[in-house]
Structure formats: C-alpha cells, structure tokens
Amino acid sequence: QEAKTDEPTEQNIDNTSQTSIPDFKLIGEVFKTYILIEMESSLYIIDKHAAHERMNFEKLKSSLEINSQVLLSPVTVRLSTDEYNTVLQNIDLYTKCGFFIEDFGNSTVIVRECPSILDGEDVAGLIEETAEKLLDGKTDITPDKLDWILHSASCRAAVKAGDYTSRYEMEIFVKKLLANPDIRYCPHGRPVMIKLSKYDIEKQFGRVQ
C-alpha cells in the first residue's frame, strides 16, 4: 500500500500563491501540538491536527472525484450483524468517498481501495466508526452521511498531536492555513487557531492596565 506522510509536507498541502498569504513570523512549536506564529502585533497559536483535519475535509468535499489508492494488502473488517448490513446498504456512499468495498461474508467486508490521503492501517477503524454512525444516524439525508465519512477520513489522515513536524513543514502548513481564511474551525467545530494580542500579553505581565 502507498505510505502516508503524517507531516503536512509540501506534497500533501497544496502550493498557494504567495500574494494571498499575510506576512507572519514562525516562532516554533510547543508540546509537538501547537504551532506559534507572530502576525500583525499578535501571537497566534495553531492546533496543527485540527487545522490539518479541516484542510483535508475541504479538499475531499470539494473534489469532483476523490482519488483512491489500491491497497496491496486488502483490509478485512469484522462488524456486528447490524453494522455489516448497514455498510452493504451504503456501498454506493462509500464508493463516492473513495472506497471500494466488497461483501466478504460472515459479517465481514473487505476494503480493496481507500482515499489516497489514508494509510491502510486507518481503514478498519474508519469503517467500524462510520458503520456505527450510519447505524445510529439521526437523519437519512445522504449529504450528512457523506460528511460523516469524510470527517472520519480527514481526521485519521491529519497530522496528530505529538507527531514531529520540521520547521520547513511548519512554514508550508502555516502558509496554506493563512491562504484559506475560511478554515478557522475543524469539522467538529473546534477552533484551529487562537489569537493573543500584544495588549493581552502585556496586560498579563502588568505592563498595561
């Protein structure tokens, strides 16, 4: 199977016109989770997992056709009877999301292709998670179901808290994020970036009232 690069490198984050990116100074990273930048007299703290997850989601959702990769070792997924039936009933939906799934019998499905942003190791957990969501779904509206699967794929493909990210990769990542002003919340509604103004910081140190 094709190897996935966890870090947000230049290859898996689209290049963006420099003219669309505000000037910023990369400070670094803390806890291998939050990227710090200085911009417009403020300190910005970026949650790299939440931001990357939203970038992945927007890219998948905007694609007319999601790129898939063939798994050299197909993944078998054992499900409960109800989840198994739900997956089979939603085969077309999974296909739209870049999966090629077949019935393997005995409450088991086999996944032969998955979205190219995923590692094969993520596939079984994603199928289990989305099968449960589809089974417990509060709506029959297909676009909502589609979003559930894309959310799960985006989250599993995103760089994780604690993953090593080089300074070069951080630069690329921040440029991509700042070039997309609509990306300010992850698919689950959490902020991807918070701002501390110079005034806020100086007030904490008693420099201003």
Side-chain angles (χ1 to χ4, degrees):
Q1 70 202 37
E2 181 179 333
K4 181 189 73 173
T5 303
D6 283 333
E7 290 79 10
T9 62
E10 191 167 11
Q11 285 68 42
N12 57 22
I13 293 182
D14 297 338
N15 290 326
T16 308
S17 171
Q18 295 292 324
T19 58
S20 62
I21 303 169
D23 290 333
F24 70 91
K25 176 183 177 182
L26 176 65
I27 298 172
E29 184 182 31
V30 292
F31 313 125
K32 293 185 178 180
T33 302
Y34 304 104
I35 298 172
L36 309 181
I37 64 170
E38 180 183 338
M39 183 173 65
E40 299 172 348
S41 299
S42 295
L43 172 68
Y44 288 81
I45 306 173
I46 300 167
D47 183 328
K48 66 181 183 183
H49 172 76
H52 198 198
E53 180 182 355
R54 179 61 184 272
M55 291 178 190
N56 287 338
F57 177 71
E58 293 299 327
K59 184 174 182 178
L60 288 175
K61 193 168 183 179
S62 64
S63 300
L64 295 177
E65 182 177 350
I66 296 173
N67 292 327
S68 298
Q69 63 172 331
V70 176
L71 297 171
L72 296 182
S73 299
V75 177
T76 55
V77 187
R78 183 70 182 268
L79 302 162
S80 70
T81 300
D82 289 340
E83 291 171 347
Y84 167 73
N85 291 329
T86 297
V87 169
L88 295 183
Q89 291 166 7
N90 287 277
I91 287 289
D92 289 344
L93 182 62
Y94 280 100
T95 300
K96 289 180 182 179
C97 295
F99 294 89
F100 178 56
I101 300 176
E102 293 180 321
D103 183 1
F104 202 59
N106 195 27
S107 295
T108 303
V109 297
I110 185 167
V111 184
R112 299 191 182 277
E113 297 181 19
C114 70
S116 57
I117 67 169
L118 286 174
D119 189 302
E121 295 179 0
D122 296 320
V123 170
L126 186 148
I127 298 301
E128 293 167 357
E129 177 185 336
T130 54
E132 183 179 356
K133 287 184 179 180
L134 289 169
L135 184 61
D136 296 337
K138 300 179 176 62
T139 176
D140 291 326
I141 301 174
T142 298
D144 286 348
K145 292 180 178 179
L146 185 70
D147 281 358
W148 292 343
I149 297 175
L150 297 183
H151 281 170
S152 294
S154 299
C155 181
R156 290 173 183 274
V159 61
K160 304 297 188 293
D163 285 347
Y164 171 76
T165 308
S166 72
R167 191 172 185 85
Y168 173 68
E169 290 162 344
M170 283 188 265
E171 286 273 3
I172 297 170
F173 186 81
V174 172
K175 288 177 181 178
K176 176 62 177 176
L177 177 61
L178 296 181
N180 290 271
D182 292 336
I183 298 180
R184 293 297 176 261
Y185 294 90
C186 78
H188 307 292
R190 294 192 297 110
V192 305
M193 181 166 62
I194 61 174
K195 172 184 177 182
L196 291 174
S197 69
K198 182 179 179 182
Y199 175 83
D200 292 332
I201 296 172
E202 289 187 337
K203 189 174 181 180
Q204 290 292 322
F205 284 100
R207 288 179 173 271
V208 296
Q209 298 300 318

